Amino acid sequence: MTTLLAAATNESLADLSNKLVYASMAVYTLAFLAHITEWVFGSRSKVGRTAAALTAPTAAAGAAPAVRVRTKGGATAVLDRPEVVTRSASGTRDVPDGPGAAGGTEQGDLYGRIAVSLTVLGFLIEAAGVVARAMSVQRAPWGNMYEFSVTFSTVAVGAYLMLLALKKNVRWLGLILVTTVLLDLGIATTWLYTASDQLVPALHSYWLWIHVSTAIFCGAVFYIGAAGAVLYLFRDSYESHLEAGRTPGRFRTSVLERLPSAASLDKFSYRINAAVFPLWTFTIVAGAIWAGDAWGRYWGWDPKEVWSFVTWVAYACYLHARATAGWKGRKAAYLALFAFACWIWNYYGVNILLSGKHSYAGV
């Protein structure tokens, strides 16, 4: 009787977890629409005027562009715009950061705040779903790809919200983050879903909490660094067009002019990846120790082990290249994206297409 009651309780918790995950997807969808609205309202004329003021030629070489303002009495005054620049390396452009996704407008900012509030709500609901899943299986909630994916997106959103709480200027990342989180949860619930079940014997270890949790955290933060690298490439191309005297299209100008400068995005991506790389090193070491306990060997060139090491090498090369004078900017960004692609392949490709001792995909 007790066993049947426990089974019924676990099934109820698993059902609750599923409902919470779907509810979080609904809230994230509303956050996605709010972010879209923020960018749309922020793209109006004020951004165009800001872009024109920032890129207009000045009489004195190297002088910051002037700003023309209208006083209450109707008179017009010309003020010197303070030159706010961000440098990431020698030889990079000195360009001010954009006004952000809201474009400096009150209405755009309002929708941006609504989007962040909805993202917080979606995060809390999804986190509750992860907890309910853990309670239903009475173990760490990342024993298969479905559980890993849901936890991954939860941690990614949590890291983004933490950056916002620390007063970092990252709201421009919200639209991309929510879009990819919805994609991740859609794949998880549609193709990767696995009913609550117990683990295979090899995974019954406290190392599951240590090794897999750090792998999830590293992947989520690496994702944020990769998003910064992608946006850097777009913004750098945009700045190159302006520097060459060419006029980008209206849509491209409206979006890219509001992002941080290429130098800021380059620095952001580098700092994120550099901060989490030591933890990825620990993840591999912890996995080797766990393998020694579970299988009697620390390293066996299993596909998951190989690609974890390849990912480590790729990020190590990126960090070394980024710190070397000859590998700044676009080359380093491409290498960062290659390293993250290795991480993605290690998760989806190795788990689904290759077989080994780490084959716990559950699909």
Side-chain angles (χ1 to χ4, degrees), residues 332-356:
Y334 288 134
L335 189 51
L337 293 178
F338 171 76
F340 184 68
C342 290
W343 191 94
I344 290 292
W345 166 255
N346 189 27
Y347 175 51
Y348 286 104
V350 172
N351 283 359
I352 296 175
L353 301 178
L354 303 180
S355 60

Side-chain angles (χ1 to χ4, degrees), residues 125-151:
I125 295 174
E126 187 181 10
V130 173
V131 173
R133 179 78 174 196
M135 295 174 63
S136 71
V137 294
Q138 299 180 3
R139 57 166 172 79
W142 40 73
N144 52 57
M145 288 188 69
Y146 168 75
E147 296 173 354
F148 192 103
S149 296
V150 173
T151 308

Side-chain angles (χ1 to χ4, degrees), residues 214-235:
T214 53
I216 293 173
F217 180 81
C218 289
V221 179
F222 278 147
Y223 157 74
I224 293 177
V230 169
L231 292 177
Y232 161 77
L233 292 174
F234 282 107
R235 173 75 189 204

Side-chain angles (χ1 to χ4, degrees), residues 23-322:
S24 70
M25 293 176 66
V27 176
Y28 283 139
T29 301
L30 294 177
F32 168 81
L33 295 175
H35 275 298
I36 288 289
T37 307
E38 176 189 17
W39 282 92
V40 169
F41 278 97
S43 68
R44 296 187 175 181
S45 58
K46 184 172 182 178
V47 174
R49 292 196 302 271
T50 302
L54 292 174
T55 57
T58 56
V67 181
R68 187 178 299 274
V69 297
R70 187 176 298 276
T71 63
K72 291 184 178 180
T76 300
V78 178
L79 305 178
D80 291 333
R81 177 183 297 276
E83 187 177 9
V84 181
V85 300
T86 305
R87 292 179 173 86
S88 65
S90 58
T92 57
R93 308 176 195 89
D94 291 339
V95 179
D97 289 335
T105 64
E106 292 185 7
Q107 192 169 20
D109 182 67
L110 172 63
Y111 283 106
R113 293 179 183 275
I114 292 173
V116 172
S117 299
L118 289 170
T119 303
V120 172
L121 179 59
F123 165 75
L124 295 175
I125 295 174
E126 187 181 10
V130 173
V131 173
R133 179 78 174 196
M135 295 174 63
S136 71
V137 294
Q138 299 180 3
R139 57 166 172 79
W142 40 73
N144 52 57
M145 288 188 69
Y146 168 75
E147 296 173 354
F148 192 103
S149 296
V150 173
T151 308
F152 170 85
S153 59
T154 305
V155 174
V157 175
Y160 164 72
L161 295 176
M162 180 59 68
L163 290 173
L164 286 177
L166 293 174
K167 307 299 183 182
K168 302 299 182 182
N169 178 26
V170 294
R171 203 165 84 186
W172 45 268
L173 187 61
L175 178 58
I176 296 177
L177 176 73
V178 172
T179 303
T180 49
V181 163
L182 284 171
L183 178 63
D184 173 71
L185 291 177
I187 293 173
T189 55
T190 305
W191 290 293
L192 303 180
Y193 179 76
T194 304
S196 299
D197 199 0
Q198 292 304 310
L199 299 173
V200 297
L203 293 182
H204 283 288
S205 171
Y206 61 88
W207 282 106
L208 175 66
W209 292 91
I210 300 173
H211 171 65
V212 184
S213 63
T214 53
I216 293 173
F217 180 81
C218 289
V221 179
F222 278 147
Y223 157 74
I224 293 177
V230 169
L231 292 177
Y232 161 77
L233 292 174
F234 282 107
R235 173 75 189 204
D236 182 68
S237 176
Y238 172 77
E239 292 180 7
S240 296
H241 274 69
L242 294 180
E243 192 175 41
R246 288 176 285 181
T247 304
R250 181 178 179 182
F251 175 80
R252 188 179 182 187
T253 299
S254 172
V255 173
L256 296 179
E257 189 64 43
R258 283 179 281 168
L259 291 175
S261 67
S264 293
L265 290 169
D266 178 51
K267 184 184 298 183
F268 171 80
S269 179
Y270 171 67
R271 287 180 173 177
I272 289 290
N273 289 323
V276 79
F277 178 74
L279 190 59
W280 181 247
T281 304
F282 170 78
T283 302
I284 296 177
V285 173
I289 296 174
W290 187 10
D293 291 342
W295 301 316
R297 83 326 180 250
Y298 294 102
W299 194 267
W301 298 105
D302 183 79
K304 177 69 70 172
E305 296 169 350
V306 170
W307 279 97
S308 294
F309 179 66
V310 169
T311 303
W312 184 90
V313 171
Y315 273 108
C317 291
Y318 161 73
L319 294 176
H320 176 72
R322 179 62 178 75

